[in-house]
């Protein structure tokens, strides 16, 4: 009798493990192979963004504070934590500066410029908060992170988990599944950063 119970328990456990493995496999492959169309749900698009493995983007960054306003045009290339590059295209006086991140290590490339003085004046260029991957990381770590659908846009909200707290909002076009803009606001509300994604390719 005991042996029969043990066998039944083992069979049930095997079935449960199999079902769970299938669900995980199905969800992962759905995110990876998602093709945006009329039948794509908002949840599928959110999952697609959260499972992003790489992206390329040309962005406009507008930093507004009580004192001044600064604008940049950047090119971003993200292929995981080991390959993350951001190049400054404008303003012209720092064009060509590359910031290459490998995990937590930041490497600067441009021997012709005094990089120390550059980032005293252009601190946000070197801030990882501008990365789409940074938003995704914060979203996954923030227990209060959420999303909503409004006017054919999906709006994902999260708070940065670093020492400098920022409220972040990512706006995604539901028709294309691509990010359109991101807003970052410091908790003191003195500085607001707007990021416009002019060109972006996301892979999951």
């Amino acid at each position: 009798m005991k042996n029969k119970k043990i066998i039944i328990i083992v069979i049930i456990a095997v079935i449960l493990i199999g079902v769970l493995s299938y669900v995980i496999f199905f969800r992962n492959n759905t995110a990876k192979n998602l093709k945006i169309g009329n039948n794509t749900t908002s949840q599928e698009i959110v999952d697609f963004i959260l499972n992003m493995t790489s992206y390329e983007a040309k962005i406009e960054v507008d930093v507004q504070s009580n004192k001044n306003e600064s604008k940049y045009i950047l090119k971003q290339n993200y292929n995981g934590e080991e390959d993350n590059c951001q190049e400054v295209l404008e303003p012209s006086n720092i064009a060509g500066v590359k910031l290459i991140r490998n995990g937590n290590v930041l490497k600067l490339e441009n021997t012709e410029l005094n990089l120390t003085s550059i980032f005293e004046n252009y601190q946000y260029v070197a801030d990882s908060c501008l990365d789409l991957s940074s938003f995704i990381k914060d979203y996954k770590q923030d227990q209060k992170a959420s999303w909503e659908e409004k006017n054919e846009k999906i709006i994902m909200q999260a708070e940065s988990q670093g020492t400098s707290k920022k409220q972040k909002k990512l706006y995604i076009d539901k028709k294309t599944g691509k990010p359109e803009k991101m807003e970052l606001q410091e908790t003191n509300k003195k500085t607001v950063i707007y990021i416009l994604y002019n060109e972006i390719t996301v892979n999951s």
Side-chain angles (χ1 to χ4, degrees), residues 84-102:
N84 188 352
C85 180
Q86 181 167 277
E87 181 180 355
V88 181
L89 302 180
E90 294 183 19
S92 59
N93 63 319
I94 59 170
V97 171
K98 289 185 179 181
L99 297 93
I100 302 170
R101 294 183 186 276
N102 190 326

Side-chain angles (χ1 to χ4, degrees), residues 15 22 28-29 88 114 116 132 162 175 178 195 203:
I15 292 173
Y22 175 79
N28 287 343
N29 279 274
V88 181
N114 186 337
T116 302
L132 181 57
K175 293 180 180 179
K178 293 184 178 183
I195 299 174
N203 300 307

Side-chain angles (χ1 to χ4, degrees), residues 129-141:
C129 72
L130 302 183
D131 295 339
L132 181 57
S133 57
S134 173
F135 172 85
I136 293 171
K137 184 177 180 180
D138 288 331
Y139 190 94
K140 289 180 177 180
Q141 293 179 349

Side-chain angles (χ1 to χ4, degrees), residues 5-19:
K5 288 183 178 179
I6 293 173
I7 292 173
I8 291 172
I9 291 172
V10 170
I11 292 173
I12 293 173
V14 170
I15 292 173
L16 290 174
I17 292 171
V19 171

Side-chain angles (χ1 to χ4, degrees), residues 13-100:
V14 170
I15 292 173
L16 290 174
I17 292 171
V19 171
L20 182 61
S21 299
Y22 175 79
V23 170
I24 293 173
F25 175 82
F26 179 78
R27 287 189 65 183
N28 287 343
N29 279 274
T30 298
K32 289 180 179 179
N33 300 316
L34 182 65
K35 293 183 178 180
I36 307 300
N38 294 331
N39 296 324
T40 307
T41 67
S42 296
Q43 183 63 64
E44 287 176 327
I45 293 174
V46 169
D47 291 340
F48 176 77
I49 295 297
L50 293 177
N51 286 285
M52 177 194 74
T53 57
S54 64
Y55 78 90
E56 294 181 5
K58 182 179 180 181
I59 66 173
E60 291 182 22
V61 181
D62 187 0
V63 182
Q64 299 182 5
S65 66
N66 292 339
K67 296 181 179 179
N68 52 41
E69 179 179 359
S70 302
K71 294 187 178 183
Y72 315 96
I73 295 180
L74 308 174
K75 182 179 179 181
Q76 295 179 334
N77 192 320
Y78 175 82
N79 288 295
E81 292 297 325
E82 304 303 318
D83 186 6
N84 188 352
C85 180
Q86 181 167 277
E87 181 180 355
V88 181
L89 302 180
E90 294 183 19
S92 59
N93 63 319
I94 59 170
V97 171
K98 289 185 179 181
L99 297 93
I100 302 170

